[in-house]
Amino acid sequence: MQVRDYNRSNWFKNRRCLFRLLINALLLISLALSLLSLLQQLFTDSLTGSYFYPLTLSLLVIQYFVHRIHLSWGGAVAFLTMGAGSISLALVSDDIALAYLSGALLPVLLRFVLAQKWVLLFIPIWLSLLLFIHSYRVQEELISELYTHLITLSYSLLVYGSVAVLFNRIYSLVFYKECKENSDLTSEFIDNYQIHQHFDWLKNKNPDGVVRVYGVYIKNILDSVGKSSESSIEFKESVTQFNQLLREVCPAGASIGRLDNGVYVLMSERRFWDAFERGLRQLKKEATDLSPIVVSTDTPNDSTDLDSALHNLDTVFVRATKEKTDFARFNLKDRDHLNGQTDIQSYEVSQAFANHEIQMFFQPKVDIKDNNRLVGAEALVRWIHPEKGLLTPKDFVDLLESSPYRLTFINSVVEQSAHFCETMKQSGLPISVSFNLSANDLQDLRVTYELSQVQEKYGFSAGELQIELSEQETDVSLDNLKRSLDAVKELGYSIALDDFGTGMSSLAYFQNLPADTIKLDRAFIKDIHLNPSSEHLTKMVVYLSKAEGLTVVAEGVENASEADRLLKLGVDQVQGFLFGKPMPATEFLQYYGLELIEDDV
């Protein structure tokens, strides 16, 4: 298989190359002028400094870092450097035309930072500023200086404007070419079939058959898969730059693939591992705005074929996300995690949604202060797999969260929970129904939109549907999370803090988040009647919750002794196998002697 070279030489293949070419040209000019100044000083025995020395040094620094900084930052630094030179000339030189001429390329540099209309607005403001500085230096009124240098100012406006308009045409053509290559985020990248071909080629060309597979995950791109082109122009530009940057940092001749789920895949034989590692670490530094997570695995050490290697990458990505690291490799922890999982392939997910295999089961919540009266149910997801049987979330949720079907899954959870809540109401036993969402889910405006649509469809009263937020998942800013929770509460949802007490920040969440319910983790409930420490902690949580007017729910109750002790401690509601296991909707209704009433909601 022939491997394509993405690092072919082309000065105008993207805006970064255009910027690099411009900086190199300016550097050559400033070097020449610095050399002429130096020769003049030597032959005239003059010790006066040259205005071009600082400019040359500044451009050398920019040229050195041009690969390592964001394009807009590079343009801004170069603009400030050149602008400072023009202002210096206006302050020390008698010739205002020289100050104007020294800044003739400022609109070109500014175009890498601002839109064309702002560049054109800048030109008269900039020329007026230089004229004001010059008039201050020569102690003349600005009006008289304006009259004296009117012709110079007019010519300068013409030169600046012509340079700005002409360069904008070049900039637009290069940008169009760049977008044309990257508009669908996949062009110039090999597809899934070619990735497998390339893997087999690498595996067979080396005696040891060892191939390292890298995965580059970008959350914004993963979330955009399956959407129409709704992404902002800024996001598309960022991805365009990232695609080009990815090509630039990879070794010459490297093939880059992109899977259907938005993950970039790179593969390397052993002799290129160091080059790949250096390039991908450089990628991390330069693409900080997109925060890519780079993971890797080896074959045949970690996996037997490419499909299992890609599954390994998903596993490492999930771990890296939880551990908040951005560069991770498959290790023994990941192997142990996979050994404890049911082997689910990515292609099975689409079939599961098409065949309605992913369903919600419901576990009762009872009020132990009111003779164990049914007051609610928690919706728990299950996969009724045609071959592997009933699967619990630990077997497949990580795979769903990293797949293009993440939003489909969330929408299904919300809709099934709402439909069950309406079914219970129509059957004559209205209860509240809770379902689980992560903090990251609540930050997604598409999820918020789905929540609003469900409320509009069913018209539930406040609190009939409840969102359970796991403390272990609140790894986003508390301020941002609070705003998201306030928004969904305005829609009519109540909020429960799930797994309360399992992390290190329980009190921070308790104090800052607008919760209505506290759910004690089952780790505190198990054998609470035999464990004084668990009893004291539960008593403290109940006391704090009651002071704030919150409901306390204990989960994982499995025997009557635990329920009796929780009742004495003041817990409001309990759920667990003692009062009912998670059941499908029809079985839940039968359990409470109700009939399923179909409606047109």
Side-chain angles (χ1 to χ4, degrees), residues 345-356 383 400 405:
Q345 301 300 321
S346 299
Y347 71 87
E348 296 179 81
V349 176
S350 60
Q351 296 177 357
F353 282 107
N355 299 330
H356 304 288
W383 185 344
L400 281 174
Y405 297 96

Side-chain angles (χ1 to χ4, degrees), residues 16-172:
R16 185 178 287 272
C17 292
L18 183 63
F19 180 70
R20 188 185 303 120
L21 180 65
L22 179 64
I23 293 298
N24 289 340
L26 289 174
L27 183 58
L28 288 175
I29 294 172
S30 65
L31 282 171
L33 293 174
S34 297
L35 181 60
L36 289 174
S37 298
L38 179 62
L39 292 174
Q40 182 183 15
Q41 291 174 19
L42 291 176
F43 285 111
T44 60
D45 293 327
S46 173
L47 298 179
T48 58
S50 170
Y51 304 125
F52 302 108
Y53 296 158
L55 176 62
T56 302
L57 291 174
S58 300
L59 289 172
L60 278 172
V61 172
I62 295 171
Q63 198 270 349
Y64 177 76
F65 286 105
V66 72
H67 297 287
R68 299 168 174 80
I69 58 178
H70 194 278
L71 190 60
S72 297
W73 283 107
V77 173
F79 168 80
L80 292 174
T81 302
M82 297 288 291
S86 297
I87 292 175
S88 299
L89 284 173
L91 285 170
V92 301
S93 174
D94 294 329
D95 190 357
I96 186 62
L98 182 61
Y100 284 158
L101 180 63
S102 67
L105 291 181
L106 288 180
V108 173
L109 295 168
L110 196 60
R111 184 63 185 88
F112 291 97
V113 183
L114 300 175
Q116 175 72 351
K117 61 180 180 180
W118 299 113
V119 176
L120 294 175
L121 178 64
F122 155 80
I123 293 173
I125 296 175
W126 174 253
L127 294 177
S128 302
L129 174 65
L130 292 182
L131 186 64
F132 175 78
I133 294 173
H134 181 74
S135 67
Y136 174 78
R137 179 186 178 279
V138 299
Q139 298 297 312
E140 292 286 345
E141 292 184 2
L142 181 60
I143 300 299
S144 61
E145 280 294 292
L146 177 63
Y147 179 77
T148 302
H149 299 289
L150 184 60
I151 295 178
T152 303
L153 183 61
S154 300
Y155 276 118
S156 299
L157 276 170
L158 179 63
V159 171
Y160 274 69
S162 299
V163 169
V165 171
L166 290 175
F167 182 77
N168 183 64
R169 180 60 179 165
I170 297 174
Y171 182 94
S172 299

Side-chain angles (χ1 to χ4, degrees), residues 7 48 88 105 119 147 179 242-243 246 272 277 343 350 357 368 387 470 472 517-518 522 566 596:
N7 293 308
T48 58
S88 299
L105 291 181
V119 176
Y147 179 77
C179 289
F242 177 81
N243 288 347
L246 184 57
F272 293 125
E277 295 284 341
D343 187 22
S350 60
E357 297 169 4
I368 54 175
E387 297 177 0
S470 173
Q472 296 172 338
T517 300
I518 296 296
R522 67 188 63 193
L566 292 169
L596 179 62

